[in-house]
Each structure stands twice: as C-alpha cells, then as structure tokens.
Amino acid sequence: MAGGGSSDGDYGLQIAPMLDVMFVLLLFFMVMAGKQVKEAELGVQVPGASKAVSTAKTPVTLRVGENGVVSFNDSPVDSRDDREMPKLLAKLKALVEASPDQSVIIRPKDSAPYQRVIDVLNACGAARVKNLTFGG
Amino acid sequence: MSGHGKKFSVHTAGGEEEPEFQVAPMVDVLLVLLMFFTATTTTEIKSQIADLTLPDAQDAKDREKGEGQFVVNINRLGGLEQAGGQSGLTEAALSQLIKKDYESTRKLNPNANYRVLVRADKDLGWEKTKVVLKAAATAGVANVVFATTKGGKG
C-alpha cells in the first residue's frame, strides 16, 4: 500500500502512509496482547486473624517437604514432578463429598518450593475445599 | 477521525458504476482497534511490574478488584516490598503498613472485604511467604490471596 497524494502542488492529507503506519502499530499491539498472561488468584484464611469456628472433625494435614514431596496425613501422594496432583485431588474430592465442611491444613516446610505450595492450593481449590488454612 | 463525507475511492477499469472502496470508515475502525489494543497492553504491563515470575495454577480464579487490598511483592531475591511503595521491608514494618492501610480502609467502609495479595516469585522457598502471612495475621487481616498466572508460563 503506497502512493497517493495530489498532483496540483497542495499539501493534502496522505492517507496511504498513515494507513501503513496504523497497520504496523495495530499488528504490534495485537501480537503483544496475545502474549499477555492473565493474572489470577488463590485465596486462603490465615490462622490467628481468622474468626472461623473450628470444626469438630479432625482436620486433614497436607505437608510439603523441602524437596517438593507432598504428604496427605503423613503418607506421600503423587510424585514431585506431577503438577496436576491427581491422587491428592481425588482424595480431597472424596473427603469434600463425604463432608463438605472438612477442614484442611497445609503445613509447608520453610524451604518448600513456593510453586509446589501453590500446586497444593490449586488442588484444594479444584476439590472445592472450604475450610483451608496454613499451619506452621 | 470520522467520515465527513469525503470519499477516497479506488476505481477499477470497469467504469463509473463499480463499488467504491471507502477509506474513511476503515480508518475509523482501525483507530478504534488500535486504541483498544494499546489500552489493554498498557494495563497488563502495569500489573506485572516487579522483578518476579508468578507461579502457575490452572484452577485459579480470575483476579477480583476488592474494596481494599494490600499488595506485597516478594521478588526473586526474596525482598519484601509494598506494590508502589517501600521495599526491603521487615515483618514488623510490613505488619505496621498492612495494619495502617486496613484501618484506614475500615474507616471508609467498615464492611470492606479487605485482603492481602501476595505476589511471590515461583522459584522462592516458602519462608518469605510465611513472613507475609504472619504479618497479615498480626495486623488482623484473615483474608490472604496468592497471585498466580493462568494458562501459561509466568
């Protein structure tokens, strides 16, 4: 797309070059917008500040070790490379189905990988665990 | 820019009755698209400042705009910083800042669903996030949310 303009010497608005520039800008911003990663969130209630009443049922404890191994009541579940955590998810879903108010406590070690803790939180969210908190 | 009746036409060899190519409406549409993509790109870049890569979580909820929220960034070196504010914070200083912000929000709206948003780098250990949780608990804020990315690498 090029050319345009008038032949009689007056300085008219050149539409064709403007369109060229606009197309380039549009393409640039469209590609940039397509590359954007959407920011999302996972929520939890912090113990101590929470006014939640403790449930009578024994809570389930999920431990996250420093090497990323996750334990469900002290028995390891899923391999540490398994980001989806299908076994943990199945267990949590069964628990929530049996008792919707089942409380779950996540106890990560200080050196536990942050991404792994988020994986556990993600599994809890997918299983629709309502009473979720962190322990030391 | 809108069409003011001025037509830019592309004539073909067919004669006077051929349909004309209208440039002015096309420029209008292009400008609108350009403005849209410019605005969305700028907003997204603004929300992703700080030297960190967020963890990925496929089942995370879309981000909400709460009535009151305190955003804490934990960069890849483990430094705590208030988004758009102070950096190199200690647990006590962070707790004070959260408490101050929480109280000022509650003065304006006592029923505000105040929360602390943690934006931590995915390669960090849990230790630094634990500090933020403790600071939030000390400040009396129970609602803590973790920022993640969804459907892609952070």
PDB file of all heavy atoms in Angstrom, chain A residues 15 22 26 30 36-42 44 46 83 110 112 114-115 122, chain B residues 23 44 48 55-56 59 61 63 115 119 124 126-127 130 142 144 146 148 150:
ATOM      1  N   ILE A  15      -3.288   9.677   3.109  1.00  0.00           N
ATOM      2  CA  ILE A  15      -3.964   8.583   3.802  1.00  0.00           C
ATOM      3  C   ILE A  15      -3.139   7.295   3.746  1.00  0.00           C
ATOM      4  O   ILE A  15      -3.021   6.588   4.738  1.00  0.00           O
ATOM      5  CB  ILE A  15      -5.352   8.332   3.165  1.00  0.00           C
ATOM      6  CG1 ILE A  15      -6.265   9.525   3.406  1.00  0.00           C
ATOM      7  CG2 ILE A  15      -5.984   7.067   3.711  1.00  0.00           C
ATOM      8  CD1 ILE A  15      -6.722   9.691   4.831  1.00  0.00           C
ATOM      9  N   MET A  22      -0.493   2.776  10.711  1.00  0.00           N
ATOM     10  CA  MET A  22      -1.537   2.260  11.599  1.00  0.00           C
ATOM     11  C   MET A  22      -1.605   0.740  11.565  1.00  0.00           C
ATOM     12  O   MET A  22      -1.802   0.096  12.597  1.00  0.00           O
ATOM     13  CB  MET A  22      -2.887   2.853  11.231  1.00  0.00           C
ATOM     14  CG  MET A  22      -3.101   4.193  11.896  1.00  0.00           C
ATOM     15  SD  MET A  22      -4.618   4.945  11.396  1.00  0.00           S
ATOM     16  CE  MET A  22      -5.780   3.791  12.000  1.00  0.00           C
ATOM     17  N   LEU A  26      -1.081  -1.538  14.778  1.00  0.00           N
ATOM     18  CA  LEU A  26      -2.163  -2.454  15.133  1.00  0.00           C
ATOM     19  C   LEU A  26      -1.635  -3.885  15.260  1.00  0.00           C
ATOM     20  O   LEU A  26      -1.931  -4.576  16.233  1.00  0.00           O
ATOM     21  CB  LEU A  26      -3.253  -2.385  14.064  1.00  0.00           C
ATOM     22  CG  LEU A  26      -4.522  -3.181  14.345  1.00  0.00           C
ATOM     23  CD1 LEU A  26      -5.220  -2.671  15.590  1.00  0.00           C
ATOM     24  CD2 LEU A  26      -5.472  -3.104  13.168  1.00  0.00           C
ATOM     25  N   MET A  30      -1.599  -6.077  18.660  1.00  0.00           N
ATOM     26  CA  MET A  30      -2.349  -7.330  18.651  1.00  0.00           C
ATOM     27  C   MET A  30      -1.464  -8.497  19.069  1.00  0.00           C
ATOM     28  O   MET A  30      -1.863  -9.336  19.864  1.00  0.00           O
ATOM     29  CB  MET A  30      -2.937  -7.599  17.258  1.00  0.00           C
ATOM     30  CG  MET A  30      -4.196  -6.830  16.996  1.00  0.00           C
ATOM     31  SD  MET A  30      -4.796  -7.036  15.328  1.00  0.00           S
ATOM     32  CE  MET A  30      -5.547  -8.636  15.450  1.00  0.00           C
ATOM     33  N   GLN A  36       0.041 -11.775  26.351  1.00  0.00           N
ATOM     34  CA  GLN A  36      -0.180 -11.480  27.767  1.00  0.00           C
ATOM     35  C   GLN A  36      -0.659 -12.707  28.522  1.00  0.00           C
ATOM     36  O   GLN A  36      -1.478 -13.465  28.025  1.00  0.00           O
ATOM     37  CB  GLN A  36      -1.247 -10.386  27.922  1.00  0.00           C
ATOM     38  CG  GLN A  36      -0.890  -9.077  27.304  1.00  0.00           C
ATOM     39  CD  GLN A  36       0.295  -8.421  27.959  1.00  0.00           C
ATOM     40  OE1 GLN A  36       0.564  -8.667  29.118  1.00  0.00           O
ATOM     41  NE2 GLN A  36       0.992  -7.592  27.226  1.00  0.00           N
ATOM     42  N   VAL A  37      -0.115 -12.908  29.714  1.00  0.00           N
ATOM     43  CA  VAL A  37      -0.568 -13.996  30.582  1.00  0.00           C
ATOM     44  C   VAL A  37      -1.478 -13.382  31.639  1.00  0.00           C
ATOM     45  O   VAL A  37      -1.113 -12.417  32.285  1.00  0.00           O
ATOM     46  CB  VAL A  37       0.635 -14.696  31.252  1.00  0.00           C
ATOM     47  CG1 VAL A  37       0.170 -15.793  32.158  1.00  0.00           C
ATOM     48  CG2 VAL A  37       1.555 -15.244  30.188  1.00  0.00           C
ATOM     49  N   LYS A  38      -2.632 -13.959  31.783  1.00  0.00           N
ATOM     50  CA  LYS A  38      -3.609 -13.385  32.701  1.00  0.00           C
ATOM     51  C   LYS A  38      -3.242 -13.698  34.148  1.00  0.00           C
ATOM     52  O   LYS A  38      -2.875 -14.826  34.464  1.00  0.00           O
ATOM     53  CB  LYS A  38      -4.984 -13.958  32.382  1.00  0.00           C
ATOM     54  CG  LYS A  38      -6.115 -13.089  32.828  1.00  0.00           C
ATOM     55  CD  LYS A  38      -7.413 -13.640  32.320  1.00  0.00           C
ATOM     56  CE  LYS A  38      -8.555 -12.803  32.826  1.00  0.00           C
ATOM     57  NZ  LYS A  38      -9.831 -13.407  32.499  1.00  0.00           N
ATOM     58  N   GLU A  39      -3.368 -12.680  34.994  1.00  0.00           N
ATOM     59  CA  GLU A  39      -3.073 -12.894  36.403  1.00  0.00           C
ATOM     60  C   GLU A  39      -4.329 -13.359  37.126  1.00  0.00           C
ATOM     61  O   GLU A  39      -5.395 -12.783  36.945  1.00  0.00           O
ATOM     62  CB  GLU A  39      -2.535 -11.599  37.017  1.00  0.00           C
ATOM     63  CG  GLU A  39      -1.811 -11.839  38.313  1.00  0.00           C
ATOM     64  CD  GLU A  39      -1.025 -10.626  38.782  1.00  0.00           C
ATOM     65  OE1 GLU A  39      -0.298 -10.027  37.963  1.00  0.00           O
ATOM     66  OE2 GLU A  39      -1.139 -10.295  39.964  1.00  0.00           O
ATOM     67  N   ALA A  40      -4.192 -14.437  37.931  1.00  0.00           N
ATOM     68  CA  ALA A  40      -5.331 -14.985  38.658  1.00  0.00           C
ATOM     69  C   ALA A  40      -4.966 -15.063  40.139  1.00  0.00           C
ATOM     70  O   ALA A  40      -3.908 -14.559  40.535  1.00  0.00           O
ATOM     71  CB  ALA A  40      -5.661 -16.357  38.104  1.00  0.00           C
ATOM     72  N   GLU A  41      -5.813 -15.689  40.960  1.00  0.00           N
ATOM     73  CA  GLU A  41      -5.520 -15.736  42.386  1.00  0.00           C
ATOM     74  C   GLU A  41      -6.099 -16.971  43.067  1.00  0.00           C
ATOM     75  O   GLU A  41      -7.073 -17.562  42.593  1.00  0.00           O
ATOM     76  CB  GLU A  41      -6.059 -14.472  43.073  1.00  0.00           C
ATOM     77  CG  GLU A  41      -7.557 -14.331  42.955  1.00  0.00           C
ATOM     78  CD  GLU A  41      -8.066 -13.020  43.506  1.00  0.00           C
ATOM     79  OE1 GLU A  41      -7.366 -12.013  43.397  1.00  0.00           O
ATOM     80  OE2 GLU A  41      -9.180 -13.036  44.053  1.00  0.00           O
ATOM     81  N   LEU A  42      -5.469 -17.356  44.166  1.00  0.00           N
ATOM     82  CA  LEU A  42      -5.933 -18.452  45.013  1.00  0.00           C
ATOM     83  C   LEU A  42      -6.026 -17.897  46.430  1.00  0.00           C
ATOM     84  O   LEU A  42      -5.057 -17.320  46.924  1.00  0.00           O
ATOM     85  CB  LEU A  42      -4.933 -19.606  44.991  1.00  0.00           C
ATOM     86  CG  LEU A  42      -4.815 -20.405  43.687  1.00  0.00           C
ATOM     87  CD1 LEU A  42      -3.528 -21.207  43.685  1.00  0.00           C
ATOM     88  CD2 LEU A  42      -5.996 -21.332  43.506  1.00  0.00           C
ATOM     89  N   VAL A  44      -6.982 -17.892  50.733  1.00  0.00           N
ATOM     90  CA  VAL A  44      -6.894 -18.728  51.928  1.00  0.00           C
ATOM     91  C   VAL A  44      -7.127 -17.853  53.158  1.00  0.00           C
ATOM     92  O   VAL A  44      -6.933 -16.640  53.097  1.00  0.00           O
ATOM     93  CB  VAL A  44      -5.511 -19.439  51.989  1.00  0.00           C
ATOM     94  CG1 VAL A  44      -4.405 -18.486  52.343  1.00  0.00           C
ATOM     95  CG2 VAL A  44      -5.535 -20.621  52.927  1.00  0.00           C
ATOM     96  N   VAL A  46      -6.006 -16.902  56.932  1.00  0.00           N
ATOM     97  CA  VAL A  46      -4.821 -17.027  57.776  1.00  0.00           C
ATOM     98  C   VAL A  46      -5.243 -17.356  59.207  1.00  0.00           C
ATOM     99  O   VAL A  46      -6.137 -16.711  59.736  1.00  0.00           O
ATOM    100  CB  VAL A  46      -4.022 -15.703  57.777  1.00  0.00           C
ATOM    101  CG1 VAL A  46      -2.820 -15.801  58.680  1.00  0.00           C
ATOM    102  CG2 VAL A  46      -3.585 -15.380  56.382  1.00  0.00           C
ATOM    103  N   ARG A  83       2.579 -31.983  38.455  1.00  0.00           N
ATOM    104  CA  ARG A  83       1.992 -30.680  38.794  1.00  0.00           C
ATOM    105  C   ARG A  83       0.489 -30.760  39.015  1.00  0.00           C
ATOM    106  O   ARG A  83      -0.075 -29.989  39.778  1.00  0.00           O
ATOM    107  CB  ARG A  83       2.297 -29.676  37.687  1.00  0.00           C
ATOM    108  CG  ARG A  83       3.758 -29.338  37.475  1.00  0.00           C
ATOM    109  CD  ARG A  83       4.247 -28.304  38.463  1.00  0.00           C
ATOM    110  NE  ARG A  83       3.296 -27.234  38.647  1.00  0.00           N
ATOM    111  CZ  ARG A  83       3.169 -26.193  37.846  1.00  0.00           C
ATOM    112  NH1 ARG A  83       3.956 -26.084  36.812  1.00  0.00           N
ATOM    113  NH2 ARG A  83       2.285 -25.262  38.097  1.00  0.00           N
ATOM    114  N   ASP A 110       9.765 -24.537  55.666  1.00  0.00           N
ATOM    115  CA  ASP A 110      10.267 -23.205  55.277  1.00  0.00           C
ATOM    116  C   ASP A 110      10.961 -23.220  53.912  1.00  0.00           C
ATOM    117  O   ASP A 110      10.870 -22.283  53.146  1.00  0.00           O
ATOM    118  CB  ASP A 110      11.247 -22.680  56.333  1.00  0.00           C
ATOM    119  CG  ASP A 110      10.510 -22.126  57.537  1.00  0.00           C
ATOM    120  OD1 ASP A 110       9.254 -22.122  57.499  1.00  0.00           O
ATOM    121  OD2 ASP A 110      11.159 -21.737  58.510  1.00  0.00           O
ATOM    122  N   ALA A 112      10.325 -25.347  51.490  1.00  0.00           N
ATOM    123  CA  ALA A 112       9.491 -25.981  50.456  1.00  0.00           C
ATOM    124  C   ALA A 112       9.340 -25.038  49.264  1.00  0.00           C
ATOM    125  O   ALA A 112       9.187 -23.828  49.445  1.00  0.00           O
ATOM    126  CB  ALA A 112       8.125 -26.309  51.028  1.00  0.00           C
ATOM    127  N   TYR A 114       7.899 -22.729  46.596  1.00  0.00           N
ATOM    128  CA  TYR A 114       6.650 -21.941  46.569  1.00  0.00           C
ATOM    129  C   TYR A 114       5.684 -22.467  45.509  1.00  0.00           C
ATOM    130  O   TYR A 114       4.483 -22.569  45.733  1.00  0.00           O
ATOM    131  CB  TYR A 114       7.003 -20.475  46.310  1.00  0.00           C
ATOM    132  CG  TYR A 114       5.821 -19.537  46.284  1.00  0.00           C
ATOM    133  CD1 TYR A 114       5.045 -19.339  47.417  1.00  0.00           C
ATOM    134  CD2 TYR A 114       5.486 -18.831  45.131  1.00  0.00           C
ATOM    135  CE1 TYR A 114       3.960 -18.479  47.396  1.00  0.00           C
ATOM    136  CE2 TYR A 114       4.411 -17.970  45.105  1.00  0.00           C
ATOM    137  CZ  TYR A 114       3.654 -17.801  46.238  1.00  0.00           C
ATOM    138  OH  TYR A 114       2.572 -16.947  46.209  1.00  0.00           O
ATOM    139  N   GLN A 115       6.234 -22.841  44.342  1.00  0.00           N
ATOM    140  CA  GLN A 115       5.378 -23.354  43.263  1.00  0.00           C
ATOM    141  C   GLN A 115       4.635 -24.622  43.705  1.00  0.00           C
ATOM    142  O   GLN A 115       3.481 -24.826  43.354  1.00  0.00           O
ATOM    143  CB  GLN A 115       6.234 -23.626  42.020  1.00  0.00           C
ATOM    144  CG  GLN A 115       5.502 -24.286  40.868  1.00  0.00           C
ATOM    145  CD  GLN A 115       4.438 -23.405  40.207  1.00  0.00           C
ATOM    146  OE1 GLN A 115       4.750 -22.402  39.574  1.00  0.00           O
ATOM    147  NE2 GLN A 115       3.174 -23.778  40.356  1.00  0.00           N
ATOM    148  N   ASN A 122      -3.884 -25.147  44.642  1.00  0.00           N
ATOM    149  CA  ASN A 122      -4.654 -25.288  43.406  1.00  0.00           C
ATOM    150  C   ASN A 122      -5.524 -26.548  43.458  1.00  0.00           C
ATOM    151  O   ASN A 122      -6.700 -26.527  43.084  1.00  0.00           O
ATOM    152  CB  ASN A 122      -3.676 -25.338  42.226  1.00  0.00           C
ATOM    153  CG  ASN A 122      -4.372 -25.276  40.897  1.00  0.00           C
ATOM    154  OD1 ASN A 122      -5.287 -24.480  40.714  1.00  0.00           O
ATOM    155  ND2 ASN A 122      -3.978 -26.123  39.978  1.00  0.00           N
TER     156      ASN A 122
ATOM    157  N   VAL B  23     -12.305   4.601   2.324  1.00  0.00           N
ATOM    158  CA  VAL B  23     -11.123   4.608   3.206  1.00  0.00           C
ATOM    159  C   VAL B  23     -11.465   5.179   4.584  1.00  0.00           C
ATOM    160  O   VAL B  23     -11.032   4.637   5.610  1.00  0.00           O
ATOM    161  CB  VAL B  23      -9.971   5.407   2.568  1.00  0.00           C
ATOM    162  CG1 VAL B  23      -8.801   5.512   3.527  1.00  0.00           C
ATOM    163  CG2 VAL B  23      -9.520   4.725   1.291  1.00  0.00           C
ATOM    164  N   GLU B  44      -2.058  -4.340  31.243  1.00  0.00           N
ATOM    165  CA  GLU B  44      -1.442  -5.611  31.624  1.00  0.00           C
ATOM    166  C   GLU B  44       0.004  -5.418  32.058  1.00  0.00           C
ATOM    167  O   GLU B  44       0.436  -5.989  33.037  1.00  0.00           O
ATOM    168  CB  GLU B  44      -1.498  -6.588  30.445  1.00  0.00           C
ATOM    169  CG  GLU B  44      -2.881  -7.123  30.164  1.00  0.00           C
ATOM    170  CD  GLU B  44      -3.429  -7.955  31.313  1.00  0.00           C
ATOM    171  OE1 GLU B  44      -2.654  -8.697  31.935  1.00  0.00           O
ATOM    172  OE2 GLU B  44      -4.632  -7.844  31.608  1.00  0.00           O
ATOM    173  N   GLN B  48       2.099  -6.083  35.929  1.00  0.00           N
ATOM    174  CA  GLN B  48       3.147  -7.093  36.023  1.00  0.00           C
ATOM    175  C   GLN B  48       4.514  -6.504  36.314  1.00  0.00           C
ATOM    176  O   GLN B  48       5.523  -7.041  35.879  1.00  0.00           O
ATOM    177  CB  GLN B  48       3.177  -7.919  34.745  1.00  0.00           C
ATOM    178  CG  GLN B  48       1.979  -8.831  34.658  1.00  0.00           C
ATOM    179  CD  GLN B  48       1.978  -9.684  33.422  1.00  0.00           C
ATOM    180  OE1 GLN B  48       2.967  -9.758  32.722  1.00  0.00           O
ATOM    181  NE2 GLN B  48       0.864 -10.318  33.163  1.00  0.00           N
ATOM    182  N   PRO B  55       3.888 -17.981  40.054  1.00  0.00           N
ATOM    183  CA  PRO B  55       3.671 -19.409  39.825  1.00  0.00           C
ATOM    184  C   PRO B  55       2.422 -19.632  38.972  1.00  0.00           C
ATOM    185  O   PRO B  55       1.577 -18.736  38.861  1.00  0.00           O
ATOM    186  CB  PRO B  55       3.474 -19.965  41.239  1.00  0.00           C
ATOM    187  CG  PRO B  55       3.012 -18.814  42.034  1.00  0.00           C
ATOM    188  CD  PRO B  55       3.617 -17.588  41.442  1.00  0.00           C
ATOM    189  N   ASP B  56       2.331 -20.825  38.427  1.00  0.00           N
ATOM    190  CA  ASP B  56       1.207 -21.138  37.545  1.00  0.00           C
ATOM    191  C   ASP B  56       0.185 -21.999  38.287  1.00  0.00           C
ATOM    192  O   ASP B  56       0.562 -22.912  39.017  1.00  0.00           O
ATOM    193  CB  ASP B  56       1.754 -21.875  36.320  1.00  0.00           C
ATOM    194  CG  ASP B  56       0.681 -22.125  35.286  1.00  0.00           C
ATOM    195  OD1 ASP B  56      -0.170 -21.236  35.100  1.00  0.00           O
ATOM    196  OD2 ASP B  56       0.689 -23.202  34.678  1.00  0.00           O
ATOM    197  N   ASP B  59      -6.342 -23.878  38.033  1.00  0.00           N
ATOM    198  CA  ASP B  59      -7.707 -23.747  38.564  1.00  0.00           C
ATOM    199  C   ASP B  59      -7.905 -22.475  39.385  1.00  0.00           C
ATOM    200  O   ASP B  59      -8.859 -22.382  40.160  1.00  0.00           O
ATOM    201  CB  ASP B  59      -8.049 -24.977  39.416  1.00  0.00           C
ATOM    202  CG  ASP B  59      -8.094 -26.233  38.576  1.00  0.00           C
ATOM    203  OD1 ASP B  59      -8.866 -26.263  37.608  1.00  0.00           O
ATOM    204  OD2 ASP B  59      -7.339 -27.179  38.862  1.00  0.00           O
ATOM    205  N   LYS B  61      -8.838 -18.624  40.367  1.00  0.00           N
ATOM    206  CA  LYS B  61      -9.960 -17.763  39.975  1.00  0.00           C
ATOM    207  C   LYS B  61      -9.432 -16.506  39.298  1.00  0.00           C
ATOM    208  O   LYS B  61      -8.293 -16.105  39.525  1.00  0.00           O
ATOM    209  CB  LYS B  61     -10.754 -17.344  41.217  1.00  0.00           C
ATOM    210  CG  LYS B  61     -11.483 -18.486  41.886  1.00  0.00           C
ATOM    211  CD  LYS B  61     -12.353 -17.977  42.996  1.00  0.00           C
ATOM    212  CE  LYS B  61     -11.539 -17.504  44.179  1.00  0.00           C
ATOM    213  NZ  LYS B  61     -12.311 -17.060  45.333  1.00  0.00           N
ATOM    214  N   ARG B  63      -8.821 -12.681  38.756  1.00  0.00           N
ATOM    215  CA  ARG B  63      -8.493 -11.698  39.787  1.00  0.00           C
ATOM    216  C   ARG B  63      -9.651 -10.727  40.009  1.00  0.00           C
ATOM    217  O   ARG B  63     -10.238 -10.225  39.051  1.00  0.00           O
ATOM    218  CB  ARG B  63      -7.247 -10.936  39.363  1.00  0.00           C
ATOM    219  CG  ARG B  63      -6.551 -10.276  40.495  1.00  0.00           C
ATOM    220  CD  ARG B  63      -5.199  -9.801  40.050  1.00  0.00           C
ATOM    221  NE  ARG B  63      -4.815  -8.681  40.876  1.00  0.00           N
ATOM    222  CZ  ARG B  63      -3.689  -8.024  40.722  1.00  0.00           C
ATOM    223  NH1 ARG B  63      -2.852  -8.365  39.785  1.00  0.00           N
ATOM    224  NH2 ARG B  63      -3.395  -7.020  41.512  1.00  0.00           N
ATOM    225  N   ARG B 115      -8.186  -7.528  51.986  1.00  0.00           N
ATOM    226  CA  ARG B 115      -7.344  -8.701  51.786  1.00  0.00           C
ATOM    227  C   ARG B 115      -5.899  -8.301  51.500  1.00  0.00           C
ATOM    228  O   ARG B 115      -5.628  -7.179  51.090  1.00  0.00           O
ATOM    229  CB  ARG B 115      -7.886  -9.539  50.642  1.00  0.00           C
ATOM    230  CG  ARG B 115      -7.851  -8.800  49.337  1.00  0.00           C
ATOM    231  CD  ARG B 115      -8.770  -9.386  48.325  1.00  0.00           C
ATOM    232  NE  ARG B 115      -8.279  -9.018  47.001  1.00  0.00           N
ATOM    233  CZ  ARG B 115      -8.371  -9.767  45.925  1.00  0.00           C
ATOM    234  NH1 ARG B 115      -8.948 -10.929  45.985  1.00  0.00           N
ATOM    235  NH2 ARG B 115      -7.896  -9.363  44.784  1.00  0.00           N
ATOM    236  N   ARG B 119       2.262 -11.501  45.916  1.00  0.00           N
ATOM    237  CA  ARG B 119       2.800 -11.767  44.572  1.00  0.00           C
ATOM    238  C   ARG B 119       4.256 -12.185  44.753  1.00  0.00           C
ATOM    239  O   ARG B 119       5.129 -11.338  44.869  1.00  0.00           O
ATOM    240  CB  ARG B 119       2.697 -10.529  43.691  1.00  0.00           C
ATOM    241  CG  ARG B 119       1.273 -10.046  43.490  1.00  0.00           C
ATOM    242  CD  ARG B 119       1.193  -8.828  42.587  1.00  0.00           C
ATOM    243  NE  ARG B 119       1.320  -9.186  41.200  1.00  0.00           N
ATOM    244  CZ  ARG B 119       2.347  -8.856  40.423  1.00  0.00           C
ATOM    245  NH1 ARG B 119       3.333  -8.145  40.901  1.00  0.00           N
ATOM    246  NH2 ARG B 119       2.378  -9.212  39.162  1.00  0.00           N
ATOM    247  N   LEU B 124      11.063 -19.156  44.635  1.00  0.00           N
ATOM    248  CA  LEU B 124      11.447 -18.933  46.032  1.00  0.00           C
ATOM    249  C   LEU B 124      11.026 -20.116  46.897  1.00  0.00           C
ATOM    250  O   LEU B 124      10.231 -20.963  46.474  1.00  0.00           O
ATOM    251  CB  LEU B 124      10.751 -17.685  46.564  1.00  0.00           C
ATOM    252  CG  LEU B 124      11.284 -16.332  46.113  1.00  0.00           C
ATOM    253  CD1 LEU B 124      10.352 -15.250  46.594  1.00  0.00           C
ATOM    254  CD2 LEU B 124      12.684 -16.103  46.675  1.00  0.00           C
ATOM    255  N   TRP B 126       9.230 -21.287  50.705  1.00  0.00           N
ATOM    256  CA  TRP B 126       8.005 -20.858  51.387  1.00  0.00           C
ATOM    257  C   TRP B 126       8.288 -19.823  52.476  1.00  0.00           C
ATOM    258  O   TRP B 126       7.404 -19.051  52.848  1.00  0.00           O
ATOM    259  CB  TRP B 126       7.319 -22.095  51.991  1.00  0.00           C
ATOM    260  CG  TRP B 126       6.116 -21.777  52.795  1.00  0.00           C
ATOM    261  CD1 TRP B 126       5.970 -21.892  54.143  1.00  0.00           C
ATOM    262  CD2 TRP B 126       4.865 -21.264  52.313  1.00  0.00           C
ATOM    263  NE1 TRP B 126       4.731 -21.490  54.528  1.00  0.00           N
ATOM    264  CE2 TRP B 126       4.029 -21.107  53.420  1.00  0.00           C
ATOM    265  CE3 TRP B 126       4.383 -20.932  51.048  1.00  0.00           C
ATOM    266  CZ2 TRP B 126       2.730 -20.616  53.306  1.00  0.00           C
ATOM    267  CZ3 TRP B 126       3.089 -20.441  50.932  1.00  0.00           C
ATOM    268  CH2 TRP B 126       2.280 -20.290  52.047  1.00  0.00           C
ATOM    269  N   GLU B 127       9.522 -19.780  52.959  1.00  0.00           N
ATOM    270  CA  GLU B 127       9.881 -18.977  54.137  1.00  0.00           C
ATOM    271  C   GLU B 127       9.414 -17.521  54.051  1.00  0.00           C
ATOM    272  O   GLU B 127       8.825 -16.986  54.991  1.00  0.00           O
ATOM    273  CB  GLU B 127      11.402 -19.025  54.282  1.00  0.00           C
ATOM    274  CG  GLU B 127      11.899 -18.591  55.628  1.00  0.00           C
ATOM    275  CD  GLU B 127      13.412 -18.731  55.733  1.00  0.00           C
ATOM    276  OE1 GLU B 127      14.052 -19.050  54.715  1.00  0.00           O
ATOM    277  OE2 GLU B 127      13.931 -18.511  56.833  1.00  0.00           O
ATOM    278  N   LYS B 130       5.707 -17.064  54.285  1.00  0.00           N
ATOM    279  CA  LYS B 130       5.282 -17.287  55.668  1.00  0.00           C
ATOM    280  C   LYS B 130       5.392 -15.986  56.475  1.00  0.00           C
ATOM    281  O   LYS B 130       4.543 -15.683  57.312  1.00  0.00           O
ATOM    282  CB  LYS B 130       6.179 -18.367  56.285  1.00  0.00           C
ATOM    283  CG  LYS B 130       5.664 -18.966  57.553  1.00  0.00           C
ATOM    284  CD  LYS B 130       6.513 -20.181  57.878  1.00  0.00           C
ATOM    285  CE  LYS B 130       6.621 -20.401  59.364  1.00  0.00           C
ATOM    286  NZ  LYS B 130       7.567 -21.472  59.669  1.00  0.00           N
ATOM    287  N   ALA B 142      -7.404 -11.553  57.925  1.00  0.00           N
ATOM    288  CA  ALA B 142      -7.505 -13.004  57.769  1.00  0.00           C
ATOM    289  C   ALA B 142      -7.467 -13.436  56.311  1.00  0.00           C
ATOM    290  O   ALA B 142      -7.064 -14.548  55.989  1.00  0.00           O
ATOM    291  CB  ALA B 142      -8.786 -13.501  58.411  1.00  0.00           C
ATOM    292  N   VAL B 144      -6.136 -13.752  52.866  1.00  0.00           N
ATOM    293  CA  VAL B 144      -4.886 -13.635  52.086  1.00  0.00           C
ATOM    294  C   VAL B 144      -5.074 -14.357  50.762  1.00  0.00           C
ATOM    295  O   VAL B 144      -5.589 -15.474  50.729  1.00  0.00           O
ATOM    296  CB  VAL B 144      -3.696 -14.241  52.862  1.00  0.00           C
ATOM    297  CG1 VAL B 144      -2.431 -14.191  52.025  1.00  0.00           C
ATOM    298  CG2 VAL B 144      -3.479 -13.507  54.160  1.00  0.00           C
ATOM    299  N   PHE B 146      -3.169 -15.420  46.916  1.00  0.00           N
ATOM    300  CA  PHE B 146      -1.881 -15.592  46.241  1.00  0.00           C
ATOM    301  C   PHE B 146      -2.071 -15.336  44.754  1.00  0.00           C
ATOM    302  O   PHE B 146      -2.937 -15.947  44.129  1.00  0.00           O
ATOM    303  CB  PHE B 146      -1.350 -17.007  46.463  1.00  0.00           C
ATOM    304  CG  PHE B 146      -1.092 -17.326  47.903  1.00  0.00           C
ATOM    305  CD1 PHE B 146      -2.076 -17.902  48.686  1.00  0.00           C
ATOM    306  CD2 PHE B 146       0.136 -17.030  48.471  1.00  0.00           C
ATOM    307  CE1 PHE B 146      -1.838 -18.186  50.022  1.00  0.00           C
ATOM    308  CE2 PHE B 146       0.374 -17.307  49.800  1.00  0.00           C
ATOM    309  CZ  PHE B 146      -0.625 -17.886  50.583  1.00  0.00           C
ATOM    310  N   THR B 148      -1.302 -15.739  40.958  1.00  0.00           N
ATOM    311  CA  THR B 148      -0.742 -16.775  40.083  1.00  0.00           C
ATOM    312  C   THR B 148      -0.988 -16.364  38.636  1.00  0.00           C
ATOM    313  O   THR B 148      -1.683 -15.388  38.377  1.00  0.00           O
ATOM    314  CB  THR B 148      -1.429 -18.135  40.322  1.00  0.00           C
ATOM    315  OG1 THR B 148      -2.798 -18.013  39.938  1.00  0.00           O
ATOM    316  CG2 THR B 148      -1.329 -18.596  41.749  1.00  0.00           C
ATOM    317  N   LYS B 150      -2.419 -17.961  34.906  1.00  0.00           N
ATOM    318  CA  LYS B 150      -3.373 -18.983  34.492  1.00  0.00           C
ATOM    319  C   LYS B 150      -3.167 -19.278  33.008  1.00  0.00           C
ATOM    320  O   LYS B 150      -3.144 -18.363  32.197  1.00  0.00           O
ATOM    321  CB  LYS B 150      -4.778 -18.427  34.700  1.00  0.00           C
ATOM    322  CG  LYS B 150      -5.850 -19.454  34.813  1.00  0.00           C
ATOM    323  CD  LYS B 150      -7.145 -18.729  35.120  1.00  0.00           C
ATOM    324  CE  LYS B 150      -8.311 -19.658  35.176  1.00  0.00           C
ATOM    325  NZ  LYS B 150      -9.555 -18.936  35.437  1.00  0.00           N
TER     326      LYS B 150
END
